[in-house]
Amino acid sequence: MPADWSRALAVVAHPDDLEYGAAAAVAEWTDGGREVVYLLASRGEAGIDTLPPEECAPVREREQRASAAVVGVRAVEFLDHRDGVIEYGAALRRDIAAAVRRHRPELVITLNHRDTWGGGRAWNTPDHRAVGRATLDAVADAGNRWIFPELREQGLEPWNGVRWTAVAGSDRPTHAVDAAAGFERAVRSLLEHRSYIEVLTDQEPEAYCRTFLTNAVDAAAERFDGRPAVAFELFAH
Ligand SMILES: [Zn+2]
């Protein structure tokens, strides 16, 4: 994984998307003095069956901020697209491009933008597809002064400095980050999404988080000299 960068912007659809794997790499990066900002397209307000969206949104926002803090991320922003029906399109690309111009990252991180997970056996959600694809596209939008001219009117000048987009959870990983140093914080980071996890599983929450993340980093280890790792598919820009 490239190491010659100082600022990253991670763009995902929901609270917890980064905690199901990528957070161990984020912990490693912030340990090294790098700045990572989280941008969430929604507040995950449709994610808990027993909680209506207006009650769910503040709970999940609070849990996301706490989980980000565990891995050294202080800035967490929300775009307030509607959970479950996030639409790929110019509005989403513009919102993400605005964030790219504002934060000026060299590395952008997102989650699996393809139709399926797990070697094609599990269908991905429309929100993940929309946000992943819009993020990959918004990197170019952010650098073009003629796309979304309204952003320049808001003082957001083009930013051409994104060098890579790293896609977590991809079936086609090309790069990896050693998960050893960040693993325990990744477990605690996922555990911060307690309201969500308690509804999701009957397992004891910490055991659930540890098992899920152990399986994830061990699966990546098969292609990384046997070392537990977080895998990414890297696109160069
Ligand atoms: Zn998600």
Side-chain angles (χ1 to χ4, degrees), residues 130-144:
V131 173
R133 296 185 72 83
T135 301
L136 284 155
D137 294 338
V139 167
D141 300 336
N144 185 321

Side-chain angles (χ1 to χ4, degrees), residues 13-17 111 125 128:
H14 312 119
D16 78 35
D17 283 354
L111 189 68
T125 75
H128 296 154

Side-chain angles (χ1 to χ4, degrees), residues 106-122:
E106 298 121 307
L107 173 67
V108 168
I109 300 148
T110 190
L111 189 68
N112 185 12
H113 59 287
R114 292 208 172 84
D115 286 341
T116 58
W117 302 95
R121 292 183 304 278

